[in-house]
Amino acid sequence: MNSFNNNVRRDILKMIHGAKSGHPGGSLSCVEILSVLYNKVMFVPPEWKKSPDFQKRDRFILSKGHASAALYSTLANKGFFAHDELFTFRKLASRLQGHPSTRLGLEGIEVSTGSLGQGLSIAVGIALALKLNANSAKVFVLLGDGEMQEGSVWEALMSASHKKLDNLIIVIDRNKLQIDGDTDDVKSLEPLDKKLQAFGWECMEVDGHNEDELENAFNVAKSSGVPFAIIANTLKGKGVSFMENNVGWHGKAPNDDELKRALEELNA
Amino acid sequence: MLKKTLEIKSPRNAYGETLVELGAANKNIVVLDADLSCSTQTCKFQKVFPERFFNSGIAEQDMMCTAAGLAAEGKIPFVSTFAMFATARCLDQIRNSICYPRLNVKIVATHGGVTVGEDGASHQALEDISYMRSIPDICVIVPADYNEVKQVVKYAAEIYGPVYIRIARTSLKSVFDEDKYIFNPERAVKICEGSDVTIVTNGETLCEVIACAQMLKDKGISAEVLHVPVVKPFLAASDVIESAKKTGMVITVENHSIIGGLGSAVCEVLSQNLPTRVLRIGTPDCFGQSGEQRSLLEFYGLTDKKLCENISRYLEKR
């Protein structure tokens, strides 16, 4: 496993262990998606607002805000803020709130998210503003698959295609699990690709842990003339055997022994 | 400050006309509506600046967050629909995607209160001020007439941060003289001096209360009338306290539930600073109903005559 992604996974586990709470499953499932975005696809200067090119940055919105540990860890490993700050996660007065917030000025956070189903509509607003400003930056949104059950996501999907937002690209982290069980049991999403296409989106399905497939999909998406959706098939808890595909790890922190075992697996 | 001649004008038109003025002066002004642009009068802006007008269709939650995204990029979005749908339906979006990140979104909701009329309870927002007042970092304003709406909308565009403005459906008597009245968010507007009782109101009940005060005067009751357009932050508190100190009796009047609106705001500041007996007049803990505008105001005791009757009876009992 590539060392950037491995470091991000190790940080995610240590942060959640330190906070004694958080969401390891859905954080571990989107590590490669974030890695490809921040290392290969998006232009986002880690100097953030201090960069002269700040306005040119591509915008990223973590609509599945509960995967905050994955985003914070990716940003810290890219040098957006000091790596040590990661371990203030979920603690009093930390800039690393349980769900991402812009209130405390954390570098790399575009908007506040956490209440599901709102990130895509915010992205629609950002995409409209970029067009008004003749800014060629793109807007990337990461949604959870369970989040697709929120009705307002479909309102936003309809808005994006109606307004021809070809500067908008979404990735759905299709790990197939949500708190109460399989997405197919709780409320089925399928056929997800056909639904997205029916809403006017171009759609591509990839292995969400295969960086080449992801990178290729983003390249296709960037040159699409319509809003583009990537369904990234992933494994919840990816990288830690006892967490993989186990719904029990949606929102639970590893204890000392579990952390040790998980880090040993990631070291191997 | 007060208008001498009787003139009836639509506060919604004031909103639409002011949007056009603002849009001409500042290209960052954008407007969103949810299929009610003729009712809210945002259609006036659409006609002049179609590229900066976004109709979200009948999808208010999407509209609220789209406005948040536009604001995140430096735009100044004015978002409009009926007060019922703007607040109750979008409470989570307003709280989490607009107020929590403190984005520069201006929510201008029309059709507040029972005077929505015949459409009935499903469309009559009697709780919107209560919802909005409980969210941190949003400014809540209930202007009273055409001239004040114009100034309040301009004020909202000038200050940074979320603002909620509630506008009535009804065409109203213009109270304020356009040349002499200056909106001040930090003060209560003293409409008339009085010594027996303080009546605090805002929005479309102001003209009813002014007429009511005259009727009370004829009965020998001297009422001091305060108009408090800005319900949050409640910077006019000191003016209310000062008046209560003088009269020792406060009555609040609003086209809104007596729970959580202007009446509650007044009670909160008085209970902390100057415990005073307060009668809150508004809709009681109930839903509205269909009816013609004037008969609804009368049913809920909000016309000048009903207010006069109820207030004088209340004062007699004491």
Side-chain angles (χ1 to χ4, degrees), chain A residues 59 101-103 112 115 118 121-122 124-126 128-130 132-133 155-156 159 163, chain B residues 30 51 54-55 59 61-62 65-66 69-70 73 75 92-93 96-97 99-101 137:
Chain A
R59 273 60 165 175
S101 167
T102 55
R103 256 185 119 87
S112 304
S115 180
Q118 301 186 22
S121 292
I122 297 173
V124 166
I126 292 176
L128 286 170
L130 291 174
L132 281 176
N133 293 341
E155 294 182 0
S159 286
K163 293 175 165 71
Chain B
V30 295
E51 72 289 353
F54 304 105
N55 201 327
Q61 300 164 77
D62 180 40
C65 287
T66 300
L70 283 156
E73 291 296 324
K75 301 293 171 193
D92 184 356
Q93 282 78 9
N96 284 315
S97 289
C99 296
Y100 179 43
D137 287 351

Side-chain angles (χ1 to χ4, degrees), chain A residues 77-94:
Chain A
N77 280 286
K78 287 298 288 179
F80 281 74
F81 51 85
H83 191 265
D84 284 352
E85 195 174 354
L86 284 180
F87 305 104
T88 65
F89 180 53
R90 286 178 165 252
K91 291 181 178 152
L92 202 60
S94 172

Side-chain angles (χ1 to χ4, degrees), chain B residues 17 83 122 140 183 197 249 302 312:
Chain B
E17 290 159 14
S122 64
V140 181
F183 166 73
V197 60
M249 162 68 66
L302 294 168
S312 40

